[in-house]
Amino acid sequence: MTGMSIRPPMPRQYAPKCSLVSPSTFGVQPSRAYRRSPLSSACAGSRSHWLWAAGALLSQLACTTVGPDFEAPEAALQPAWSSSSAATAAPITSDDSDAFWASFKDPVLLSLLRRAEAQSLTLQSAAKQVEQAQAIVRTTQATARPNVQLNVDSSYAQPDFASRLRGTNDGTTTDQALGQVSWEIDFWGKQRRALEADLATLQGTRAAQAAARLSLKASVASAYCNVRLYERRLAVAQANLLQQAENMRVAEARYRLGASSELDWRQAQTQYAQTQAQVPVLRSSLAEFQRSVSVLLGETPDTFARTQPSAAALPAVPLAVARGAPVDLLRRRPDVQQAEMTAAAQSARIGQAQAALYPSFSLSGSFGYSTTAGLGELFRWDSRALSAGAGLVLPIFDRGRLTSQVLVQDSLFAQAVLAYQNQVLQAQQEVEDALGSVAAYSAQTQDLQAADAAATRSAELAMTRYRAGQTDYTTVSSAEQARLQTSDSLVQAQGALLQAHISTWRALGGGGTMSPAVSHALQTEPLAGP
């Protein structure tokens, strides 16, 4: 079954809602991808009647917002997953990912995940980024309100040169205490679009925080499983070394007694040395992953190696993650939500840039006291001072630059939509790859378990026949080499299966929806205030 190919949405309109002014009036030709809303079309009628125009103008004070209203972009989604996972137990159906980690049956892993969430410097940095985005939202909210300030000052003005020559004026001291108010009316929605963009950025930052937490858990689990993998590979190598040392002793004894040639003894020595040579490399890789776990926890690189003993076995194969449908990735993957919020913020920036093409209106005023008769006369009613004013700013010669800014923001929005759609495609690929890996490594592990049992029995039979003088050491050497390779391959396949399950959990967005707190935060606008 082929996937659906969805046309990417574009911003709806350049013209303001309820607009009496066409964009072409200011030299902007709207893109065909922008659609005029029915409300905008209804407002576009005869403007000959001044009373109608005045009434419509007043009504627009509450509804005029230029630029597109964001809608979630659509993306190509396949109807179902093509890969299937050979799970060893019933799949998890709840959204609680703790059940997934508990199914590893490894208390150390659970402890590490808790410590990572509490101590990770990466998560602390992500939390600070959320705080920064919240502060930016509060700043934008405050910018849209009237600016009120108190101005108290005293100034002295020297007399002019002629007055100083005549001695008729010693200068003037002016004392004043004024409350001043200024407000730029958000007639075209510039501040509202700025707030909309900042809120979307805040939501994207929260999604990025959730993505960082998801990635941290998967990285800690992956590094920890690699630690246990290399501990197990070391154990396999050391067990084979013990057996090969015994075989080398037997081969030497038979050579000394003249029961076999020196070639058998040297072959046994060669096999032992080859196995021994693998140990330093395995120890080095083990130390690397131990240091990786420590740093992910926000600790010094040597912490894990000092505080955690070696384990005798790998963690258990976990339960399968509830896969759902591909469309579920849109709500389960925080990186997809982050890409969507980036597009939403950029959509609002189009309206913010569009508003700069239209006239801006401002009001200002002051009330207080002002006198030149001295401080003692300042707060008398006769010293009161009152002023009020209104301003209009219309860009004329800067229109080309402002128009280009709209086109820049439009292009950035198109890029953000494409990035979102690409993120959705990549998310589906990651899930398919992870599910395919789970199925492949599950089958490989089962086959290698049978091969390991056969190789172990073959090595035992070969040594028995060699002790009885029924075969030379070449047969023993081949059987021992096959046992070592098969045992090591089995351990590696078991480790790869664990990694595939972790990758599936990560690709599916944590095995369920985001936590209720994060999900609520992504849908709720923050309130103003500290």
Side-chain angles (χ1 to χ4, degrees), residues 38-51:
L39 184 59
S40 178
S41 299
C43 291
S46 173
R47 299 182 180 87
S48 59
H49 200 293
W50 287 103
L51 292 177

Side-chain angles (χ1 to χ4, degrees), residues 9-324:
M10 296 298 292
R12 263 59 62 193
Q13 56 180 11
Y14 272 166
K17 303 173 187 175
C18 303
S19 176
L20 295 176
V21 186
S22 168
S24 59
T25 305
F26 298 99
V28 177
Q29 296 299 326
S31 167
R32 291 184 180 180
Y34 285 73
R35 306 192 301 269
R36 294 179 60 84
S37 66
L39 184 59
S40 178
S41 299
C43 291
S46 173
R47 299 182 180 87
S48 59
H49 200 293
W50 287 103
L51 292 177
W52 179 90
L57 180 63
L58 291 176
S59 67
Q60 289 182 75
L61 287 173
C63 75
T64 302
T65 303
V66 299
D69 291 327
F70 179 74
E71 295 177 359
E74 296 178 344
L77 288 167
Q78 60 191 58
W81 302 119
S82 59
S83 300
S84 60
S85 169
T88 58
I92 295 174
T93 56
S94 70
D95 289 337
D96 186 6
S97 63
D98 288 342
F100 172 75
W101 298 118
S103 66
F104 281 81
K105 299 179 181 179
D106 193 317
V108 176
L109 174 59
L110 295 178
S111 174
L112 293 176
L113 292 175
R114 288 192 293 266
R115 286 165 57 188
E117 282 202 84
Q119 302 173 183
S120 170
L121 300 181
T122 300
L123 290 188
Q124 293 179 33
S125 176
K128 292 301 179 182
Q129 291 175 11
V130 172
E131 292 178 7
Q132 175 186 349
Q134 290 173 330
I136 292 175
V137 168
R138 289 193 291 267
T139 301
T140 303
Q141 289 173 326
T143 303
R145 303 189 187 104
N147 181 25
V148 181
Q149 59 184 8
L150 176 64
N151 181 20
V152 179
D153 65 69
S154 178
S155 61
Y156 171 75
Q158 290 185 343
D160 57 40
F161 183 70
S163 298
R164 288 202 302 271
L165 289 177
R166 293 193 300 269
T168 58
N169 189 346
D170 295 332
T172 303
T173 299
T174 302
D175 302 306
Q176 62 180 7
L178 298 174
Q180 300 174 330
V181 180
S182 61
W183 180 39
E184 181 179 347
I185 302 175
D186 192 19
F187 192 88
W188 308 108
K190 180 173 69 174
Q191 295 297 334
R192 291 192 293 276
R193 289 301 189 193
L195 179 58
E196 180 183 330
D198 290 339
L199 285 172
T201 300
L202 171 59
Q203 293 173 347
T205 306
R206 285 172 171 157
Q209 183 184 26
R213 182 178 294 106
L214 179 77
S215 178
L216 175 67
K217 283 188 172 183
S219 297
V220 169
S222 176
Y224 173 76
C225 287
N226 277 324
V227 167
R228 297 312 186 203
L229 168 65
Y230 278 94
E231 287 176 347
R232 188 74 188 115
R233 291 186 67 188
L234 270 173
V236 169
Q238 290 168 346
N240 277 276
L241 280 174
L242 291 176
Q243 182 61 48
Q244 290 170 9
E246 174 62 17
N247 294 349
M248 184 173 60
R249 185 193 66 78
V250 173
E252 182 181 7
R254 287 176 56 82
Y255 165 67
R256 300 297 182 190
L257 294 174
S260 64
S261 67
E262 182 182 359
L263 177 61
D264 290 351
W265 178 32
R266 298 306 180 187
Q267 283 181 331
Q269 286 182 323
T270 301
Q271 188 175 48
Y272 180 86
Q274 288 176 339
T275 304
Q276 181 67 39
Q278 298 178 17
V279 173
V281 178
L282 293 175
R283 291 190 186 279
S284 176
S285 298
L286 171 61
E288 289 179 9
F289 285 112
Q290 288 175 330
R291 291 191 288 266
S292 178
V293 171
S294 298
V295 172
L296 287 170
L297 298 182
E299 299 171 344
T300 57
D302 63 335
T303 302
F304 184 90
R306 287 189 293 102
T307 59
Q308 295 294 335
S310 298
L314 290 168
V317 176
L319 300 178
V321 180
R323 289 175 292 174

Side-chain angles (χ1 to χ4, degrees), residues 175 371 373-380 383:
D175 302 306
T371 182
L375 287 174
E377 302 294 324
L378 178 61
F379 294 103
R380 297 176 60 87
S383 300

Side-chain angles (χ1 to χ4, degrees), residues 402-464:
L402 297 176
T403 303
S404 297
Q405 283 296 320
V406 175
L407 299 178
V408 167
Q409 299 302 325
D410 189 12
S411 177
L412 291 174
F413 171 76
Q415 295 175 47
V417 170
L418 293 174
Y420 167 82
Q421 293 171 330
N422 187 57
Q423 188 66 43
V424 173
L425 292 177
Q426 289 182 349
Q428 294 176 82
Q429 179 188 351
E430 290 173 5
V431 173
E432 290 283 14
D433 291 345
L435 292 176
S437 295
V438 169
Y441 287 120
S442 295
Q444 184 186 41
T445 299
Q446 293 176 0
D447 292 338
L448 285 174
Q449 286 174 340
D452 183 57
T456 300
R457 180 56 179 163
S458 176
E460 292 173 352
L461 291 174
M463 193 60 192
T464 300

